Amino acid sequence: MTKEEMSAAVPGYNDLVTRNEIEILQKPGDAVIRDNDFALTRWGDIMLIDEDYSAFFKLLETWRYNFPTLKVLFETSIDRIQYRKNLEVRLQSLFEEAAKKTPHPMASMDYEAYHRTNDEIGAAEIARGVYAGSVAIVLNNMLQAFRANIAATAEEWKKAAPLFDGCSVGQIVEASANNVRHAEEWQATRPPDKRQLNSIQVLATVLNEPLEPTDGSRHRFGREVSPETLQLLSGGDFLVLEANLFRFAQNMLKQRQRRLPSQT
């Protein structure tokens, strides 16, 4: 197996449970028998222990099988940062080389190389958004499914730690995924409607871009921000992103369990 294949391997179930200290999954998950038949979850799987255990098991397995693809997408998005910097250095060198030939650099510029490098910079920025945006959408789908499967409330979704400037991982991922899908619509709608503004307010808070005025009519979120939100949630490390995702999921479940001890 090559180094690249090893880095993108599906992680072991027990490895994920251990490194993320997932308490609920540290005991074996026995199937539940009801009325002489296997009990099923609301999503049609065989129930293991109870609804909460089954929901977390499903979340872990979804992450586990998506891990190789998401890791490649995440790391490629991060790599685009350095790639763009390299292109900008190349662009600067074109100006410097032209300046050596004449006091008027633009007269001796290699315009073919200039336009080609500019195009590559633009493509690199778009690619970074595509890779990061794909990760944001998959993460949001996973967390929204988990939220529904444990019957968590909107408040539990918002208040489960870790928090970033008062916003939860779920809120940030949801707002980022909405940005991926609707950035052009947000750009064209001034001021944003209430639903759009909810996501915009989260992004404005965690990316430190206060809305002035507060109705969001001059917001700057018509751009792709998923690379920025992934950086915030991960610090550039995929396993930090994983850890924050599972910390959030565990804390949301604990909040729901305090409110509603049993779903079974």
Side-chain angles (χ1 to χ4, degrees):
M1 181 179 289
T2 67
K3 181 179 179 181
E4 288 75 16
E5 289 171 331
M6 289 177 64
S7 69
V10 176
Y13 177 90
N14 289 332
D15 291 338
L16 284 176
V17 171
T18 299
R19 78 176 178 224
N20 293 290
E21 299 178 338
I22 302 174
E23 297 174 13
I24 193 172
L25 297 182
Q26 289 176 356
K27 57 184 176 181
D30 297 326
V32 177
I33 303 297
R34 291 177 183 166
D35 300 324
N36 298 318
D37 199 357
F38 288 111
L40 300 180
T41 64
R42 62 184 290 276
W43 55 94
D45 290 342
I46 292 175
M47 186 179 296
L48 303 176
I49 298 183
D50 59 21
E51 289 279 5
D52 292 345
Y53 187 102
S54 298
F56 222 113
F57 177 84
K58 181 178 176 65
L59 175 65
L60 187 82
E61 288 290 83
T62 303
W63 172 261
R64 197 163 76 89
Y65 289 121
N66 276 281
F67 183 98
T69 302
L70 292 178
K71 187 171 187 288
V72 169
L73 290 170
F74 175 90
E75 291 180 347
T76 306
S77 178
I78 296 296
D79 288 346
R80 295 299 89 180
I81 300 173
Q82 186 58 51
Y83 179 59
R84 174 170 179 158
K85 289 179 180 178
N86 294 341
L87 290 172
E88 289 170 346
V89 169
R90 185 196 304 173
L91 199 62
Q92 182 61 32
S93 71
L94 290 174
F95 284 104
E96 292 172 355
E97 287 300 317
K100 293 176 182 177
K101 299 175 184 178
T102 172
H104 305 287
M106 297 307 291
S108 59
M109 175 69 69
D110 183 345
Y111 281 101
E112 182 179 347
Y114 170 80
H115 289 300
R116 183 171 60 250
T117 304
N118 250 342
D119 288 346
E120 290 182 47
I121 289 173
E125 191 62 22
I126 292 294
R128 186 180 175 218
V130 170
Y131 296 130
S134 299
V135 175
I137 288 173
V138 173
L139 293 183
N140 185 53
N141 290 345
M142 290 170 54
L143 290 177
Q144 292 287 0
F146 179 71
R147 173 187 179 180
N149 291 339
I150 65 170
T153 65
E155 283 302 299
E156 289 156 357
W157 174 260
K158 293 177 182 178
K159 292 182 178 179
L163 300 178
F164 298 79
D165 290 309
C167 298
S168 73
V169 171
Q171 285 181 288
I172 296 167
V173 168
E174 181 180 24
S176 186
N178 286 338
N179 169 261
V180 173
R181 297 185 181 100
H182 304 297
E184 283 196 19
E185 178 186 328
W186 291 2
Q187 182 65 15
T189 307
R190 304 287 178 153
D193 63 33
K194 183 177 180 181
R195 188 171 184 180
Q196 294 168 336
L197 187 58
N198 286 339
S199 290
I200 289 170
Q201 286 172 331
V202 170
L203 297 174
T205 298
V206 299
L207 298 180
N208 194 27
E209 296 184 25
L211 298 179
E212 297 177 2
T214 56
D215 68 356
S217 56
R218 296 174 60 187
H219 75 80
R220 296 179 53 250
F221 299 102
R223 70 184 195 277
E224 171 65 74
V225 301
S226 55
E228 297 166 67
T229 56
L230 281 188
Q231 179 66 32
L232 173 72
L233 294 173
S234 70
D237 186 329
F238 188 67
L239 292 186
V240 172
L241 178 66
E242 175 189 275
N244 282 331
L245 180 144
F246 284 116
R247 280 182 61 204
F248 167 71
Q250 290 198 86
N251 286 325
M252 183 166 58
L253 178 59
K254 287 175 181 177
Q255 287 194 35
R256 204 280 300 151
Q257 287 176 331
R258 285 195 291 270
R259 174 180 58 87
L260 187 65
S262 176
Q263 291 195 79
T264 57

Short mmCIF file of all heavy atoms in Angstrom, two decimals, residues 193-237:
data_model
loop_
_atom_site.label_atom_id
_atom_site.label_comp_id
_atom_site.label_asym_id
_atom_site.label_seq_id
_atom_site.Cartn_x
_atom_site.Cartn_y
_atom_site.Cartn_z
N ASP A 193 -33.42 37.99 3.47
CA ASP A 193 -34.62 37.65 4.22
C ASP A 193 -34.22 37.02 5.55
O ASP A 193 -33.03 36.78 5.82
CB ASP A 193 -35.55 36.75 3.41
CG ASP A 193 -34.95 35.40 3.06
OD1 ASP A 193 -34.15 34.86 3.86
OD2 ASP A 193 -35.27 34.86 1.98
N LYS A 194 -35.21 36.73 6.39
CA LYS A 194 -34.93 36.26 7.76
C LYS A 194 -34.12 34.97 7.76
O LYS A 194 -33.18 34.81 8.55
CB LYS A 194 -36.24 36.07 8.52
CG LYS A 194 -36.06 35.65 9.97
CD LYS A 194 -37.39 35.54 10.70
CE LYS A 194 -37.18 35.11 12.15
NZ LYS A 194 -38.48 34.98 12.88
N ARG A 195 -34.48 34.05 6.89
CA ARG A 195 -33.78 32.75 6.86
C ARG A 195 -32.33 32.93 6.42
O ARG A 195 -31.42 32.34 7.01
CB ARG A 195 -34.51 31.80 5.91
CG ARG A 195 -34.00 30.39 5.92
CD ARG A 195 -34.90 29.49 5.12
NE ARG A 195 -34.48 28.10 5.20
CZ ARG A 195 -35.09 27.10 4.59
NH1 ARG A 195 -36.19 27.34 3.87
NH2 ARG A 195 -34.66 25.87 4.70
N GLN A 196 -32.11 33.74 5.39
CA GLN A 196 -30.75 34.01 4.95
C GLN A 196 -29.94 34.71 6.04
O GLN A 196 -28.79 34.38 6.30
CB GLN A 196 -30.77 34.88 3.69
CG GLN A 196 -31.37 34.21 2.47
CD GLN A 196 -31.65 35.19 1.35
OE1 GLN A 196 -31.81 36.39 1.58
NE2 GLN A 196 -31.73 34.70 0.13
N LEU A 197 -30.59 35.67 6.70
CA LEU A 197 -29.91 36.46 7.72
C LEU A 197 -29.45 35.60 8.89
O LEU A 197 -28.40 35.87 9.48
CB LEU A 197 -30.82 37.59 8.21
CG LEU A 197 -30.19 38.62 9.15
CD1 LEU A 197 -28.98 39.30 8.49
CD2 LEU A 197 -31.22 39.66 9.57
N ASN A 198 -30.20 34.55 9.22
CA ASN A 198 -29.79 33.67 10.31
C ASN A 198 -28.40 33.08 10.05
O ASN A 198 -27.54 33.07 10.94
CB ASN A 198 -30.80 32.54 10.48
CG ASN A 198 -32.09 33.00 11.13
OD1 ASN A 198 -32.13 34.03 11.80
ND2 ASN A 198 -33.16 32.25 10.92
N SER A 199 -28.19 32.58 8.84
CA SER A 199 -26.88 32.02 8.49
C SER A 199 -25.82 33.11 8.38
O SER A 199 -24.68 32.94 8.83
CB SER A 199 -26.97 31.25 7.17
OG SER A 199 -27.71 30.07 7.31
N ILE A 200 -26.18 34.22 7.78
CA ILE A 200 -25.23 35.33 7.60
C ILE A 200 -24.75 35.85 8.95
O ILE A 200 -23.57 36.16 9.13
CB ILE A 200 -25.88 36.44 6.75
CG1 ILE A 200 -26.02 35.97 5.30
CG2 ILE A 200 -25.07 37.73 6.82
CD1 ILE A 200 -26.85 36.89 4.42
N GLN A 201 -25.65 35.92 9.93
CA GLN A 201 -25.27 36.40 11.26
C GLN A 201 -24.26 35.47 11.92
O GLN A 201 -23.32 35.92 12.59
CB GLN A 201 -26.51 36.56 12.14
CG GLN A 201 -27.36 37.76 11.77
CD GLN A 201 -28.68 37.79 12.51
OE1 GLN A 201 -29.24 36.74 12.87
NE2 GLN A 201 -29.20 38.99 12.76
N VAL A 202 -24.43 34.16 11.75
CA VAL A 202 -23.47 33.20 12.30
C VAL A 202 -22.11 33.41 11.67
O VAL A 202 -21.08 33.50 12.36
CB VAL A 202 -23.95 31.75 12.08
CG1 VAL A 202 -22.84 30.75 12.42
CG2 VAL A 202 -25.20 31.46 12.90
N LEU A 203 -22.07 33.52 10.34
CA LEU A 203 -20.79 33.70 9.64
C LEU A 203 -20.15 35.03 10.00
O LEU A 203 -18.93 35.11 10.18
CB LEU A 203 -21.02 33.61 8.13
CG LEU A 203 -21.52 32.25 7.62
CD1 LEU A 203 -21.84 32.32 6.13
CD2 LEU A 203 -20.51 31.14 7.90
N ALA A 204 -20.96 36.07 10.12
CA ALA A 204 -20.44 37.39 10.49
C ALA A 204 -19.79 37.34 11.87
O ALA A 204 -18.75 37.97 12.10
CB ALA A 204 -21.56 38.43 10.46
N THR A 205 -20.38 36.58 12.77
CA THR A 205 -19.85 36.47 14.14
C THR A 205 -18.53 35.72 14.17
O THR A 205 -17.53 36.21 14.69
CB THR A 205 -20.87 35.76 15.04
OG1 THR A 205 -22.07 36.54 15.11
CG2 THR A 205 -20.32 35.58 16.45
N VAL A 206 -18.50 34.51 13.60
CA VAL A 206 -17.31 33.67 13.74
C VAL A 206 -16.17 34.11 12.84
O VAL A 206 -15.00 33.82 13.14
CB VAL A 206 -17.64 32.18 13.49
CG1 VAL A 206 -18.67 31.68 14.51
CG2 VAL A 206 -18.11 31.92 12.07
N LEU A 207 -16.47 34.82 11.74
CA LEU A 207 -15.41 35.31 10.86
C LEU A 207 -15.06 36.77 11.14
O LEU A 207 -14.30 37.38 10.40
CB LEU A 207 -15.82 35.13 9.39
CG LEU A 207 -16.07 33.68 8.95
CD1 LEU A 207 -16.48 33.62 7.48
CD2 LEU A 207 -14.83 32.81 9.20
N ASN A 208 -15.64 37.30 12.22
CA ASN A 208 -15.32 38.65 12.69
C ASN A 208 -15.54 39.69 11.59
O ASN A 208 -14.67 40.53 11.31
CB ASN A 208 -13.88 38.72 13.21
CG ASN A 208 -13.62 40.00 14.00
OD1 ASN A 208 -14.53 40.58 14.58
ND2 ASN A 208 -12.37 40.43 14.02
N GLU A 209 -16.73 39.63 10.98
CA GLU A 209 -17.11 40.61 9.97
C GLU A 209 -18.48 41.18 10.36
O GLU A 209 -19.50 40.81 9.79
CB GLU A 209 -17.17 39.97 8.59
CG GLU A 209 -15.84 39.46 8.10
CD GLU A 209 -15.89 38.92 6.67
OE1 GLU A 209 -16.78 39.36 5.91
OE2 GLU A 209 -15.04 38.07 6.34
N PRO A 210 -18.51 42.07 11.35
CA PRO A 210 -19.78 42.60 11.87
C PRO A 210 -20.65 43.18 10.76
O PRO A 210 -20.15 43.79 9.80
CB PRO A 210 -19.33 43.70 12.84
CG PRO A 210 -17.93 43.33 13.22
CD PRO A 210 -17.34 42.68 12.00
N LEU A 211 -21.96 42.97 10.90
CA LEU A 211 -22.91 43.48 9.92
C LEU A 211 -23.23 44.94 10.22
O LEU A 211 -23.70 45.27 11.29
CB LEU A 211 -24.20 42.65 9.95
CG LEU A 211 -24.06 41.17 9.59
CD1 LEU A 211 -25.42 40.49 9.69
CD2 LEU A 211 -23.46 41.00 8.20
N GLU A 212 -22.94 45.78 9.26
CA GLU A 212 -23.26 47.21 9.38
C GLU A 212 -23.90 47.66 8.07
O GLU A 212 -23.21 47.73 7.05
CB GLU A 212 -22.00 48.01 9.66
CG GLU A 212 -21.33 47.66 10.98
CD GLU A 212 -20.03 48.42 11.19
OE1 GLU A 212 -19.67 49.26 10.32
OE2 GLU A 212 -19.37 48.19 12.21
N PRO A 213 -25.21 47.92 8.05
CA PRO A 213 -26.15 47.88 9.18
C PRO A 213 -26.52 46.44 9.55
O PRO A 213 -26.20 45.51 8.83
CB PRO A 213 -27.37 48.64 8.64
CG PRO A 213 -27.31 48.41 7.17
CD PRO A 213 -25.85 48.40 6.81
N THR A 214 -27.20 46.32 10.67
CA THR A 214 -27.50 44.98 11.21
C THR A 214 -28.51 44.20 10.39
O THR A 214 -28.67 43.00 10.61
CB THR A 214 -28.02 45.10 12.66
OG1 THR A 214 -29.16 45.97 12.69
CG2 THR A 214 -26.94 45.65 13.57
N ASP A 215 -29.21 44.86 9.45
CA ASP A 215 -30.14 44.12 8.60
C ASP A 215 -29.41 43.31 7.53
O ASP A 215 -30.03 42.56 6.77
CB ASP A 215 -31.17 45.04 7.96
CG ASP A 215 -30.58 45.99 6.92
OD1 ASP A 215 -29.34 45.99 6.73
OD2 ASP A 215 -31.36 46.73 6.29
N GLY A 216 -28.08 43.44 7.46
CA GLY A 216 -27.28 42.64 6.53
C GLY A 216 -27.28 43.13 5.10
O GLY A 216 -26.76 42.44 4.21
N SER A 217 -27.79 44.33 4.86
CA SER A 217 -27.91 44.81 3.48
C SER A 217 -26.56 45.06 2.81
O SER A 217 -26.47 45.14 1.59
CB SER A 217 -28.77 46.07 3.42
OG SER A 217 -28.26 47.08 4.27
N ARG A 218 -25.50 45.17 3.63
CA ARG A 218 -24.17 45.39 3.07
C ARG A 218 -23.22 44.24 3.42
O ARG A 218 -22.01 44.42 3.48
CB ARG A 218 -23.61 46.73 3.58
CG ARG A 218 -24.41 47.93 3.11
CD ARG A 218 -23.92 49.22 3.75
NE ARG A 218 -22.53 49.49 3.42
CZ ARG A 218 -21.81 50.48 3.97
NH1 ARG A 218 -22.37 51.28 4.88
NH2 ARG A 218 -20.56 50.66 3.63
N HIS A 219 -23.78 43.06 3.64
CA HIS A 219 -22.94 41.91 4.01
C HIS A 219 -21.99 41.55 2.86
O HIS A 219 -22.21 41.92 1.70
CB HIS A 219 -23.82 40.71 4.38
CG HIS A 219 -24.46 40.02 3.20
ND1 HIS A 219 -23.78 39.13 2.41
CD2 HIS A 219 -25.71 40.10 2.69
CE1 HIS A 219 -24.58 38.68 1.47
NE2 HIS A 219 -25.76 39.25 1.61
N ARG A 220 -20.94 40.78 3.22
CA ARG A 220 -19.93 40.37 2.25
C ARG A 220 -19.92 38.85 2.06
O ARG A 220 -18.91 38.26 1.68
CB ARG A 220 -18.54 40.84 2.71
CG ARG A 220 -18.40 42.35 2.77
CD ARG A 220 -17.02 42.77 3.26
NE ARG A 220 -15.94 42.16 2.51
CZ ARG A 220 -15.11 41.22 2.97
NH1 ARG A 220 -15.24 40.77 4.23
NH2 ARG A 220 -14.16 40.71 2.23
N PHE A 221 -21.05 38.21 2.28
CA PHE A 221 -21.10 36.76 2.23
C PHE A 221 -21.71 36.21 0.95
O PHE A 221 -22.23 35.10 0.92
CB PHE A 221 -21.80 36.21 3.48
CG PHE A 221 -21.06 36.59 4.73
CD1 PHE A 221 -21.51 37.63 5.53
CD2 PHE A 221 -19.89 35.96 5.06
CE1 PHE A 221 -20.81 38.01 6.67
CE2 PHE A 221 -19.18 36.32 6.20
CZ PHE A 221 -19.64 37.35 7.01
N GLY A 222 -21.61 37.03 -0.11
CA GLY A 222 -21.93 36.51 -1.43
C GLY A 222 -20.75 35.75 -2.00
O GLY A 222 -20.81 35.23 -3.10
N ARG A 223 -19.67 35.66 -1.22
CA ARG A 223 -18.49 34.90 -1.63
C ARG A 223 -18.52 33.51 -0.98
O ARG A 223 -19.31 33.26 -0.07
CB ARG A 223 -17.22 35.63 -1.19
CG ARG A 223 -16.99 35.63 0.32
CD ARG A 223 -15.78 36.46 0.71
NE ARG A 223 -15.33 36.20 2.07
CZ ARG A 223 -15.84 36.76 3.16
NH1 ARG A 223 -16.85 37.62 3.06
NH2 ARG A 223 -15.34 36.46 4.36
N GLU A 224 -17.66 32.63 -1.43
CA GLU A 224 -17.53 31.29 -0.86
C GLU A 224 -16.68 31.36 0.41
O GLU A 224 -15.52 31.74 0.36
CB GLU A 224 -16.87 30.37 -1.88
CG GLU A 224 -16.49 29.00 -1.36
CD GLU A 224 -17.69 28.18 -0.97
OE1 GLU A 224 -18.40 27.70 -1.86
OE2 GLU A 224 -17.92 28.07 0.25
N VAL A 225 -17.28 31.03 1.56
CA VAL A 225 -16.55 31.15 2.83
C VAL A 225 -16.22 29.81 3.47
O VAL A 225 -15.60 29.78 4.54
CB VAL A 225 -17.35 32.00 3.85
CG1 VAL A 225 -17.61 33.40 3.31
CG2 VAL A 225 -18.65 31.32 4.25
N SER A 226 -16.57 28.70 2.83
CA SER A 226 -16.30 27.40 3.45
C SER A 226 -14.83 27.16 3.75
O SER A 226 -14.52 26.53 4.78
CB SER A 226 -16.86 26.26 2.58
OG SER A 226 -16.37 26.33 1.27
N PRO A 227 -13.87 27.63 2.92
CA PRO A 227 -12.46 27.45 3.34
C PRO A 227 -12.15 28.14 4.66
O PRO A 227 -11.39 27.62 5.48
CB PRO A 227 -11.67 28.10 2.19
CG PRO A 227 -12.58 28.00 1.00
CD PRO A 227 -13.96 28.21 1.57
N GLU A 228 -12.77 29.29 4.90
CA GLU A 228 -12.53 30.03 6.14
C GLU A 228 -13.17 29.33 7.34
O GLU A 228 -12.59 29.27 8.42
CB GLU A 228 -13.06 31.45 6.00
CG GLU A 228 -12.37 32.27 4.91
CD GLU A 228 -13.14 33.54 4.57
OE1 GLU A 228 -13.21 34.43 5.43
OE2 GLU A 228 -13.65 33.63 3.45
N THR A 229 -14.37 28.81 7.16
CA THR A 229 -15.03 28.14 8.28
C THR A 229 -14.34 26.82 8.61
O THR A 229 -14.21 26.45 9.78
CB THR A 229 -16.53 27.91 8.00
OG1 THR A 229 -16.68 27.17 6.78
CG2 THR A 229 -17.27 29.22 7.88
N LEU A 230 -13.88 26.09 7.59
CA LEU A 230 -13.15 24.85 7.87
C LEU A 230 -11.84 25.13 8.60
O LEU A 230 -11.45 24.40 9.50
CB LEU A 230 -12.87 24.09 6.57
CG LEU A 230 -14.01 23.28 5.96
CD1 LEU A 230 -13.48 22.45 4.80
CD2 LEU A 230 -14.68 22.38 6.99
N GLN A 231 -11.17 26.21 8.21
CA GLN A 231 -9.95 26.60 8.91
C GLN A 231 -10.25 26.91 10.37
O GLN A 231 -9.51 26.52 11.28
CB GLN A 231 -9.32 27.81 8.22
CG GLN A 231 -8.04 28.34 8.86
CD GLN A 231 -6.88 27.36 8.77
OE1 GLN A 231 -6.79 26.59 7.80
NE2 GLN A 231 -6.00 27.38 9.76
N LEU A 232 -11.34 27.59 10.61
CA LEU A 232 -11.75 27.93 11.97
C LEU A 232 -12.00 26.68 12.80
O LEU A 232 -11.56 26.58 13.96
CB LEU A 232 -13.02 28.79 11.93
CG LEU A 232 -13.70 29.10 13.25
CD1 LEU A 232 -12.88 30.11 14.06
CD2 LEU A 232 -15.12 29.63 13.04
N LEU A 233 -12.69 25.71 12.24
CA LEU A 233 -13.08 24.51 12.98
C LEU A 233 -11.94 23.50 13.12
O LEU A 233 -12.05 22.58 13.94
CB LEU A 233 -14.26 23.83 12.28
CG LEU A 233 -15.58 24.60 12.28
CD1 LEU A 233 -16.62 23.90 11.41
CD2 LEU A 233 -16.11 24.77 13.70
N SER A 234 -10.89 23.67 12.33
CA SER A 234 -9.84 22.66 12.30
C SER A 234 -8.45 23.17 12.61
O SER A 234 -7.57 22.36 12.96
CB SER A 234 -9.79 22.02 10.90
OG SER A 234 -9.29 22.96 9.95
N GLY A 235 -8.22 24.48 12.45
CA GLY A 235 -6.86 24.99 12.56
C GLY A 235 -5.94 24.40 11.51
O GLY A 235 -4.72 24.38 11.67
N GLY A 236 -6.54 23.90 10.42
CA GLY A 236 -5.75 23.30 9.35
C GLY A 236 -5.42 21.84 9.55
O GLY A 236 -4.68 21.25 8.77
N ASP A 237 -6.00 21.21 10.57
CA ASP A 237 -5.72 19.81 10.90
C ASP A 237 -7.02 19.01 10.82
O ASP A 237 -7.98 19.28 11.55
CB ASP A 237 -5.12 19.73 12.31
CG ASP A 237 -4.66 18.33 12.69
OD1 ASP A 237 -5.26 17.35 12.22
OD2 ASP A 237 -3.71 18.21 13.47
#
